[in-house]
């Protein structure tokens, strides 16, 4: 015979409403009463009817965590940390009382798949949605995401952005935890400049990602402040962007700017700094770092330092430098971004910018569960910290 909520209430000597409060975790209940109810649930092997419960309530016990690539530690760390807060610590008994079921949705970086997951979570009446990582800088996609999030919020879903810039119209979002990618990129390049580097190559991420733009802007801000750039990016930059897109379409690392010659695409002399010629775009993976670094060394053999879009890209850059018979950091310094767990174990240890990925993910989980008060204005900027290690040193005299 199927065990009912009333059976549990009778066994625990409480009202059915109290049993419901304990299982849904949406109302404070005395610890002794909660323990008695959960013991009755265990004794009777009662299983809550999730679909029926979600129909009776505004939302279900489901929380969606959207990531670009769960195999990438950048996303895996944030998703895992969020899940610990969403699922609850547990007491070893296997009981469930107020916790939520966190489901990681792997978009593979596809804007279309991101929208599909948001639609599915809307149909499931998700209690919360956490979107991690940078956004796609496409106005049509941004408008579609904003519309989906607005519908989710209207239905009672708590929406949290983690490592993603706030939306222009952020009313649907409980909180946006944005990484200071621009500041981190600036401090990393300032470190290289302080060592004496002037010809610095940059292996950037995909053109269409906010993370790519912000980190590259920080790098160029530092170069400009040092008097190594002109006023900005004009037609030459736009031509470079097109070359980058074409390169990615062909399956490799895209290139920015024109491929060589005594004068750069912006018309700068050979001894000046051509920001487009010394920037190569590609995916956030090791192969991209390898191919892009070989391209940078082909364009400008006198490069003394390479900044990579993230630590995974930096590993590819290191491999390319070694395959060219060069030493790190004696011949070329290499730096990354994110401070992923393996960066300190690279040889030499990788200079990088630390983002508190676990802390940010955990905070996003608490915000999604309503365990933490949102920051003022719903937006918090998470600081980036320069981590100086053995992969950077002054250039050879």
């Amino acid at each position: 015979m199927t065990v009912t909520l009333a059976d549990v209430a009778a066994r625990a000597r409480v009202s059915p409403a109290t049993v419901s409060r304990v299982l849904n975790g949406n109302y404070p209940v005395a610890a002794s009463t909660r323990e008695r109810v959960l013991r009755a649930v265990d004794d009777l092997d009662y299983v809550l009817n999730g679909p029926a419960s979600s129909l009776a309530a505004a939302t279900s016990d489901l929380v969606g965590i959207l990531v670009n690539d769960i195999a990438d530690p950048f996303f895996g760390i944030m998703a895992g940390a969020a899940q610990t807060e969403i699922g609850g610590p547990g007491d070893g008994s296997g009981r469930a009382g107020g916790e939520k079921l966190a489901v990681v949705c792997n978009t593979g970086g596809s804007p279309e798949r991101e929208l599909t997951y948001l639609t599915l979570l809307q149909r499931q009446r998700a209690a919360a949605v956490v979107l991690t990582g940078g956004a796609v800088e496409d106005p049509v996609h941004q408008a579609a995401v904003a519309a989906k999030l607005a519908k989710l919020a209207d239905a009672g879903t708590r929406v949290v952005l983690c490592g993603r810039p706030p939306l222009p119209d952020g009313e649907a979002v409980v909180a946006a935890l944005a990484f200071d990618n621009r500041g981190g990129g600036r401090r990393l390049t300032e470190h290289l400049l302080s060592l004496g580097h002037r010809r610095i190559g940059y292996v950037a991420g995909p053109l269409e990602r906010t993370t790519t733009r912000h980190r590259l802007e920080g790098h160029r801000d530092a170069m400009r402040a040092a008097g190594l750039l002109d006023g900005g990016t004009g037609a030459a930059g736009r031509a470079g962007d097109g070359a980058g897109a074409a390169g990615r379409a062909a399956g490799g690392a895209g290139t920015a700017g024109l491929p060589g010659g005594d004068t750069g695409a912006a018309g700068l002399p050979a001894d000046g700094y051509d920001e487009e010629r010394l920037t190569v775009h590609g995916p956030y993976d090791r192969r991209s770092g390898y191919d892009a670094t070989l391209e940078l060394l082909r364009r400008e053999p006198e490069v003394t330092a390479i900044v990579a879009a993230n630590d995974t890209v930096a590993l590819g850059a290191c491999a390319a430098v070694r395959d060219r018979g060069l030493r790190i950091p004696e011949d070329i310094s290499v730096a990354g971004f994110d401070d992923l767990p393996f960066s300190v174990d690279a040889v030499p240890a990788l200079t990088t910018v630390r983002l508190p990925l676990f802390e940010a993910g955990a905070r996003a989980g608490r915000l999604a569960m309503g365990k933490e008060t949102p920051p003022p204005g719903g937006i918090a900027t998470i600081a980036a910290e320069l981590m100086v290690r053995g992969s950077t040193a002054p250039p050879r005299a």
Side-chain angles (χ1 to χ4, degrees):
M1 185 175 69
T2 302
V3 178
T4 67
L5 191 77
D7 296 329
V8 175
R11 182 67 168 256
R13 302 188 305 280
V14 297
S15 69
T18 298
V19 175
S20 179
R21 289 167 181 166
V22 170
L23 295 179
N24 291 323
N26 58 4
Y27 195 84
V29 177
S32 59
T33 302
R34 183 177 187 274
E35 176 62 26
R36 199 161 67 247
V37 169
L38 292 176
R39 189 181 302 116
V41 168
D42 287 344
D43 292 344
L44 297 175
D45 199 21
Y46 173 70
V47 178
L48 179 68
N49 188 330
S53 178
S54 65
L55 287 172
T59 59
S60 68
D61 286 337
L62 183 69
V63 175
I65 305 173
L66 273 67
V67 301
N68 281 357
D69 181 5
I70 193 60
D72 184 337
F74 177 87
F75 294 100
I77 292 170
M78 285 192 290
Q83 194 166 19
T84 61
E85 295 290 339
I86 292 165
D91 59 6
S93 67
R95 296 167 171 171
E99 297 85 358
K100 303 294 184 184
L101 175 64
V103 176
V104 177
C105 306
N106 194 65
T107 69
S110 164
E112 295 78 15
R113 197 174 299 170
E114 182 175 68
L115 290 172
T116 298
Y117 277 129
L118 291 175
T119 299
L120 293 172
L121 290 166
Q122 180 187 353
R123 291 176 185 172
Q124 294 295 321
R125 301 188 182 190
V129 172
V130 178
L131 293 92
T132 65
V136 174
E137 294 200 295
D138 173 65
V140 175
H141 179 69
Q142 288 179 336
V145 169
K148 287 288 184 186
L149 296 182
K151 289 182 179 179
L152 282 159
D154 288 344
T157 300
R158 296 176 65 85
V159 178
V160 178
L161 309 182
C162 183
R164 180 176 292 214
L167 297 173
D169 179 8
E171 292 184 3
V173 177
V174 170
L177 309 179
F179 293 133
D180 185 16
N181 285 306
R182 189 179 285 105
R186 184 181 64 252
R187 283 187 286 278
L188 184 59
T189 298
E190 286 172 347
H191 161 67
L192 293 171
L193 291 169
S194 73
L195 293 174
H197 294 280
R198 293 298 180 268
R199 304 198 71 77
I200 303 172
Y202 195 96
V203 182
L207 279 163
E208 69 276 4
R209 292 282 169 180
T210 55
T211 300
T212 298
R213 178 169 62 85
H214 293 161
R215 294 181 182 183
L216 183 54
E217 284 176 350
H219 164 72
R220 289 179 174 175
D221 285 347
M223 298 295 288
R224 188 172 293 109
L228 297 174
L229 290 186
D230 59 6
T233 301
R238 290 191 295 274
D241 288 353
R248 286 195 312 283
T255 59
L258 300 178
D262 292 336
T263 301
L268 297 179
D271 58 352
Y273 184 89
D274 181 348
E275 63 187 89
E276 297 302 332
R277 186 180 177 189
L278 291 177
T279 302
V280 179
H281 286 273
Y284 287 117
D285 58 34
R286 182 188 179 281
R287 177 60 185 267
S288 172
Y290 186 92
D291 291 344
T293 298
L294 292 181
E295 172 63 16
L296 284 171
L297 294 175
R298 184 192 69 79
R299 293 182 190 180
E300 184 49 75
E302 300 305 313
V303 160
T304 63
I306 291 175
V307 177
N310 67 13
D311 292 342
T312 304
V313 172
L315 289 186
C318 289
V321 168
R322 292 191 182 98
D323 284 355
R324 285 287 300 268
L326 301 170
R327 300 166 299 166
I328 303 169
E330 292 85 355
D331 298 316
I332 295 183
S333 290
V334 178
F337 209 110
D338 294 336
D339 196 25
L340 297 178
F342 58 76
S343 63
V344 72
D345 294 319
V347 180
L350 188 65
T351 291
T352 185
V353 173
R354 181 181 185 271
L355 295 179
L357 299 174
F358 187 90
E359 294 86 346
R363 186 178 181 186
R366 291 192 298 272
L367 288 163
M369 292 291 287
K371 297 178 180 178
E372 181 175 317
T373 303
I379 300 172
T381 300
I382 298 177
E385 179 184 3
L386 177 65
M387 309 296 291
V388 178
R389 298 188 180 118
S391 67
T392 54
R396 287 186 301 173

